[in-house]
Amino acid sequence: GYITSAHTGLSIRGCAAIVISVIASFILSWPIASIVAPAFPLMLLGAYLQVMLTKRYTDHRNKLLEHSAKVAVESIENVFTVATLGIEKRLVDNYNQLLE
């Protein structure tokens, strides 16, 4: 899957904030900024990892929701078979378990 526009916007905003803060810190107090500057790559790495983990979580959640929707659709399409076999409770429990 692709990173959604919300994730892209957050990434761009975060990177822009870091770049602007680096420039401002060097303008306002370059001796202190030069001491803190080695931490900036770590902050960029943290922002990147946050975006990637969020993407992974979103993809995983979407797959689970897709699977639970398939169970619901299959149950609805086969409502007469489900009722004849008396497995409504089992399908509802299965669906609830998939949503958890």
Side-chain angles (χ1 to χ4, degrees):
Y2 295 99
I3 297 176
T4 62
S5 60
H7 293 135
T8 305
L10 288 174
S11 301
I12 292 171
R13 186 171 52 183
C15 290
I18 290 172
V19 169
I20 290 171
S21 65
V22 169
I23 293 170
S25 65
F26 274 104
I27 291 172
L28 297 174
S29 178
W30 69 267
I32 294 174
S34 63
I35 294 171
V36 179
F40 291 123
L42 293 175
M43 291 181 356
L44 289 174
L45 177 64
Y48 173 76
L49 289 175
Q50 179 183 6
V51 168
M52 295 313 295
L53 290 174
T54 302
K55 180 185 173 300
R56 182 181 293 169
Y57 170 76
T58 303
D59 290 345
H60 179 68
R61 187 192 65 196
N62 286 343
K63 285 180 185 176
L64 291 176
L65 288 175
E66 180 182 337
H67 184 64
S68 64
K70 285 180 183 179
V71 169
V73 167
E74 185 177 333
S75 298
I76 292 169
E77 286 177 349
N78 299 313
V79 68
F80 295 115
T81 305
V82 169
T84 302
L85 296 175
I87 56 173
E88 298 96 341
K89 173 100 172 93
R90 189 174 79 190
L91 287 174
V92 169
D93 291 342
N94 185 17
Y95 182 73
N96 287 332
Q97 183 181 8
L98 290 172
L99 288 179
E100 290 177 359

